Amino acid sequence: RVDGTPPAVTITAPAEGAVYDVGQVVPAAYGCTDAVAGVASCAGPVAPGQRIDTTTPGPHTFAVTARDRVGNVTTVTRSYVVDGTPPAIRLATSSSAR
């Protein structure tokens, strides 16, 4: 019997369509499974728990590729945006007269 079932990839962070601030700390969270042949490799741009790229404003893609022990491959991607808009500055004023 030939294993034609590709491995499964689950990505929980970055979330699909998420918007993050420049410099925001977002740890990557993903994993790979294969119940038939077993996972030979599971790789993303950073290791699970490491920070995803939030240094550059604009759209980003995060892809994880899994390969099982017989050569089946799966790649899953998530798209997210890094917002480069500076935060609003609010001035505190004192309105009490003496």
Side-chain angles (χ1 to χ4, degrees), residues 13-43:
E16 178 63 33
V19 177
Y20 301 113
D21 294 326
V22 168
Q24 182 175 344
V25 176
V26 181
Y30 63 88
C32 305
T33 59
D34 187 283
V36 180
V39 175
S41 65
C42 179

